[in-house]
Amino acid sequence: MAWAVLATQALTASAATSSPNDPWFASGHQWGLTQAGFPSAWCASTGAGALIAVIDGGVDFSHPDLAGKQVGSMVVQSGQVVPGEASTDHGHATHVAGIAAADSNNGIGMAGAAPSARLYSVQMLFAGGQGTSTDLATAIRFVTEAVAPTWPGPVILNISVGATTGSTPPEVASAISEAYSRGLGVALAAGDSPGASGYASMGGQAMVVGALGPGGGVASYSPTGGVNVFAAGGENQGSTNVGTGIISTYTGGQYAWLTGTSMATPHVAAALALLMSAGLTNGQAYQRIEATENPGGGLRIDRALGSTGGCGGVAAAPPPPAPAPARPAPVRAAPVRVVPPVTAAAPAPASVQTAPPASAPTAVPAAAPAAPTPVSAPYDESTHPAPAPGALAAGAVTPPTGFQTLLATTSAGARTEPGRLSLAAAAGFAIAYGCSLVLHRRLTRGRVRA
């Protein structure tokens, strides 16, 4: 069986190309693959025989670029493991799966980083990206103890899931240690907060992955402490990441731009697939990756495989379909956490497209916030309600005079404590003045009569 896997690898490598005809790759939008040297690396290995287990929120294998990639799907919840996929938003996991191993050189969509690898989905995140550390540990142990022993080639865990406790939960650390000891490769998302990664303690048994922007620098949100390697995770430009994020498969047969170490991690999982399918152990693959990184720690899988040239020809690609308008990807509501919780990194603003555009996508400007109305405007003792929207827009407003001025002044002044005091004094003066005026008139009338 092992011989058959190696023979398949050799056949795949001989037919490999560093210039696949997938439109998103051919148009230059998959900058993360080029940044890490994947096109040249494909001349030496495409990950044939490797299995990448995506432990996340469930993969939508109905996507055309993931067709034929599925080996299995399981759901882990409350410690129970059952076959299938739970009905929930599978966008995050589908995006991760496409980066790692989408079908390549098929003339549609995008190219996967390990195009010949297969995929196994283990869902332990549900609505809103909610899950528990217990279920994460159960998912890792399931792949380690039930899936890997039956798979003839190398198995890699992609865990784009971060602990919100600030450190690796003990049960998760134990499960990762067991996976490593049994020969599995492990790629962990470092998290999306600068500083030290919550997985820093796992650096010897897993590849803890930070994120790079399109310019090659560490992304603004990426941790740097405890990180073994950096790979393309994308960067936001203002309110959009179109073109500067990572494009990949999404639910409903679409493609989306997302940003985060969640997106960097499948690049490294794919690199492990390429190295381990070429005969390296998990520990040897870790060492090779770290020994061939860029000076800043960036992944260079071409150097790791000793393949820095090109190969193959460019297959004829069908004309790309008309671009679809960009629209925001679904935004997940903040989940109610179960302690201790784990959650996928929240995606940055994304655009979903059904096909690659003929030119660089144009960012959709964010809608201007609605102006507050008198009903919803804040009010307290020191502020006044906002004027009606039409009052200022109508142009000149006739200023109040005479008694109107008094009413306007007293009405506004009554809303503050000093105003109330001034108003009380004015009222007392007015009463005294009125009494004296009445007395004066009576005296005057008396004099006239006399």
Side-chain angles (χ1 to χ4, degrees):
M1 182 64 71
W3 178 85
V5 172
L6 291 175
T8 301
Q9 170 65 34
L11 289 172
T12 303
S14 65
T17 176
S18 56
S19 303
N21 63 6
D22 309 277
W24 281 112
F25 178 85
S27 61
H29 289 91
Q30 287 190 262
W31 55 267
L33 297 178
T34 305
Q35 185 183 75
F38 275 100
S40 294
W42 292 330
C43 299
S45 175
T46 56
L51 178 66
I52 299 176
V54 178
I55 300 178
D56 206 288
V59 177
D60 179 7
F61 283 111
S62 68
H63 196 290
D65 246 346
L66 298 176
K69 289 289 185 174
Q70 181 182 19
V71 171
S73 294
M74 287 287 176
V75 174
V76 177
Q77 190 170 30
S78 301
Q80 302 298 311
V81 182
V82 296
E85 299 272 0
S87 178
T88 185
D89 175 20
H90 298 164
H92 185 270
T94 304
H95 198 271
V96 167
I99 295 169
D103 199 5
S104 298
N105 210 37
N106 60 353
I108 65 169
M110 59 174 293
S116 296
R118 301 286 295 281
L119 293 165
Y120 200 108
S121 172
V122 184
Q123 181 177 359
M124 47 71 54
L125 294 178
F126 302 96
Q130 179 182 3
T132 68
S133 58
T134 300
D135 284 345
L136 175 57
T138 301
I140 295 171
R141 292 190 187 279
F142 169 75
V143 177
T144 301
E145 299 170 3
V147 177
T150 66
W151 184 256
V155 177
I156 296 91
L157 303 179
N158 186 104
I159 305 175
S160 291
V161 176
T164 60
T165 56
S167 61
T168 309
E171 62 271 35
V172 175
S174 175
I176 291 173
S177 297
E178 181 187 353
Y180 177 74
S181 68
R182 295 200 181 195
L184 279 69
V186 184
L188 297 169
D192 289 347
S193 297
S197 169
Y199 286 125
S201 63
M202 305 308 302
Q205 298 161 324
M207 298 300 290
V208 181
V209 185
L212 299 175
V218 175
S220 60
Y221 54 82
S222 176
T224 53
V227 172
N228 297 104
V229 63
F230 294 87
E235 188 65 274
N236 298 330
Q237 297 292 333
S239 62
T240 184
N241 58 11
V242 174
T244 59
I246 304 299
I247 188 72
S248 185
T249 49
Y250 206 71
T251 52
Q254 302 175 104
Y255 298 86
W257 298 96
L258 296 182
T259 302
T261 58
S262 286
M263 286 61 253
T265 303
H267 286 90
V268 175
L272 290 172
L274 267 58
L275 290 167
M276 293 173 68
S277 66
L280 275 64
T281 66
N282 55 357
Q284 290 170 341
Y286 293 178
Q287 294 172 5
R288 185 73 66 85
I289 286 174
E290 292 193 82
T292 55
E293 293 172 354
N294 281 332
L299 174 67
R300 286 305 299 264
I301 184 59
D302 53 345
R303 296 175 190 164
L305 280 165
S307 177
T308 56
C311 61
V314 180
R327 57 185 177 83
V331 178
R332 294 174 173 174
V336 177
R337 302 295 184 191
V338 179
V339 180
V342 290
T343 178
S351 294
V352 179
Q353 302 185 7
T354 55
S359 59
T362 301
V364 178
T373 65
V375 176
S376 61
Y379 173 81
D380 58 30
E381 292 296 338
S382 60
T383 60
H384 311 308
L392 298 180
V397 179
T398 304
T401 58
F403 188 61
Q404 291 180 343
T405 303
L406 177 62
L407 290 178
T409 303
T410 55
S411 175
R415 295 190 180 100
T416 64
E417 193 62 30
R420 292 190 185 98
L421 294 176
S422 298
L423 183 59
F429 175 78
I431 293 171
Y433 177 78
C435 291
S436 63
L437 183 61
V438 171
L439 181 60
H440 174 74
R441 288 180 176 174
R442 288 182 177 177
L443 291 174
T444 303
R445 291 174 183 172
R447 290 173 183 170
V448 171
R449 288 175 183 172

